[in-house]
Amino acid sequence: MKLEVVTLGALLHDIGKFYQRGIGDEGEEPEGSKKHEDFSEKFVKDNKDLISFILGEKVSEEVLNFLRTLVQCHHLYDYKEDCFKLLKDESVGHYIRVIKKADGLSAGVERIEVDKEQLLSGGGIVEEDRKDYRKKTLLPIFCLIRPGKLVTELSKEERAWGYRFLPLSGRNIEDNFPIELSPLKEDAYPDERRKSDYRTLWNGFKSEISKLLKQ
């Protein structure tokens, strides 16, 4: 069972990013008081039935707390003293490191190591502005392909496309493709529309969970 729980922790460790951005202004916390891993932990805590469904058996509080710890501690920020203490606990410390390592590997180009000048010239390919994370759209892979150029050599004008926060659609085919979001066309996807679309995604996700558990 522990292998399955750790695997599930690896799957859900960043669900808090979706949760946090999906609730938008309805549940925003003061700046800096809540991180995405706090929302991941809350998601696990609030969805015991879903966890049981995925694992194929009713989970105990001990298993649930173990999973909550994995998703809560996967970044090991300096201020999280409790997480650092848990690293010395043989029953959980090793698995926290596993999730942390997996998270770093999966981040890919998002955490490419560059100096400040290169980072700013990347035009958002590396998220230099953390406060603006709610506005970040998924980049088409073709934005990162330029013959003879490194990712960090792309100008802001060249990073010109992004996917809107919409589910795949069979009706409006155009919604499935990226739109131009260069600095000169930022109004192509207004902030209020972004927030509304993201909240719709989150509500749709919750609805699908409810349907799943009623089967």
Side-chain angles (χ1 to χ4, degrees), residues 2-11 13 66 69-71 73-76 86-87 89-107 111:
K2 181 161 286 188
L3 174 61
E4 286 81 359
V5 176
V6 174
T7 302
L8 186 57
L11 176 67
H13 74 278
F66 175 64
T69 298
L70 294 181
V71 299
C73 294
H74 75 271
H75 272 303
L76 292 176
L86 284 170
L87 289 178
D89 186 336
E90 294 183 0
S91 65
V92 68
H94 169 70
Y95 302 104
I96 291 175
R97 290 188 178 90
V98 169
I99 303 297
K100 183 178 185 299
K101 182 68 173 179
D103 178 62
L105 291 172
S106 67
R111 296 184 189 163

Side-chain angles (χ1 to χ4, degrees), residues 103-131:
D103 178 62
L105 291 172
S106 67
V109 73
E110 177 188 350
R111 296 184 189 163
I112 188 170
E113 293 185 4
V114 295
D115 62 31
K116 185 69 174 177
E117 184 178 349
Q118 286 179 311
L119 188 143
L120 291 175
S121 69
I125 292 171
V126 180
E127 294 192 7
E128 72 277 6
D129 185 359
R130 297 279 177 189
K131 294 180 181 179

Side-chain angles (χ1 to χ4, degrees), residues 2-207:
K2 181 161 286 188
L3 174 61
E4 286 81 359
V5 176
V6 174
T7 302
L8 186 57
L11 176 67
L12 296 178
H13 74 278
D14 272 349
I15 190 68
K17 290 183 177 181
F18 188 21
Y19 188 173
Q20 184 182 36
R21 300 169 197 189
I23 61 177
D25 295 332
E26 297 175 1
E28 281 193 37
E29 299 288 339
E31 180 67 28
S33 66
K34 286 282 188 179
K35 302 290 186 182
H36 73 268
E37 62 271 23
D38 299 316
F39 282 89
S40 293
E41 185 272 338
K42 188 176 187 307
F43 179 85
V44 171
K45 178 183 176 182
D46 294 344
N47 288 276
K48 185 176 180 179
D49 289 344
L50 176 64
I51 304 303
S52 297
F53 178 86
I54 294 173
L55 293 175
E57 60 181 80
K58 188 171 183 178
V59 298
S60 64
E61 287 300 318
E62 180 181 4
V63 169
L64 192 68
N65 289 336
F66 175 64
L67 183 58
R68 288 170 59 188
T69 298
L70 294 181
V71 299
Q72 173 67 261
C73 294
H74 75 271
H75 272 303
L76 292 176
Y77 292 116
D78 292 340
Y79 70 89
K80 292 195 172 182
E81 296 181 4
D82 291 343
C83 288
F84 278 101
K85 291 178 181 178
L86 284 170
L87 289 178
K88 300 178 181 179
D89 186 336
E90 294 183 0
S91 65
V92 68
H94 169 70
Y95 302 104
I96 291 175
R97 290 188 178 90
V98 169
I99 303 297
K100 183 178 185 299
K101 182 68 173 179
D103 178 62
L105 291 172
S106 67
V109 73
E110 177 188 350
R111 296 184 189 163
I112 188 170
E113 293 185 4
V114 295
D115 62 31
K116 185 69 174 177
E117 184 178 349
Q118 286 179 311
L119 188 143
L120 291 175
S121 69
I125 292 171
V126 180
E127 294 192 7
E128 72 277 6
D129 185 359
R130 297 279 177 189
K131 294 180 181 179
D132 201 33
Y133 66 87
R134 292 179 190 271
K135 298 181 181 180
K136 299 295 182 183
T137 57
L138 185 66
L139 291 178
I141 187 62
F142 297 106
C143 280
L144 307 181
I145 299 175
R146 294 292 189 280
K149 281 191 175 183
L150 298 175
V151 167
T152 50
E153 293 175 337
L154 301 182
S155 69
K156 290 189 177 183
E157 286 70 27
E158 289 178 298
R159 182 208 180 255
W161 300 84
Y163 288 97
R164 284 172 288 194
F165 305 139
L166 299 170
L168 290 176
S169 173
R171 296 179 181 177
N172 301 315
I173 302 300
E174 291 184 359
D175 288 344
N176 300 329
F177 293 90
I179 58 174
E180 189 169 1
L181 293 174
S182 64
L184 297 178
K185 294 193 174 184
E186 251 339 290
D187 59 346
Y189 200 7
D191 287 348
E192 287 305 313
R193 172 69 188 277
R194 296 180 194 226
K195 290 180 181 179
S196 175
D197 286 348
Y198 216 116
R199 191 175 298 117
T200 298
L201 280 179
W202 175 251
N203 290 335
F205 175 68
K206 291 195 299 182
S207 176

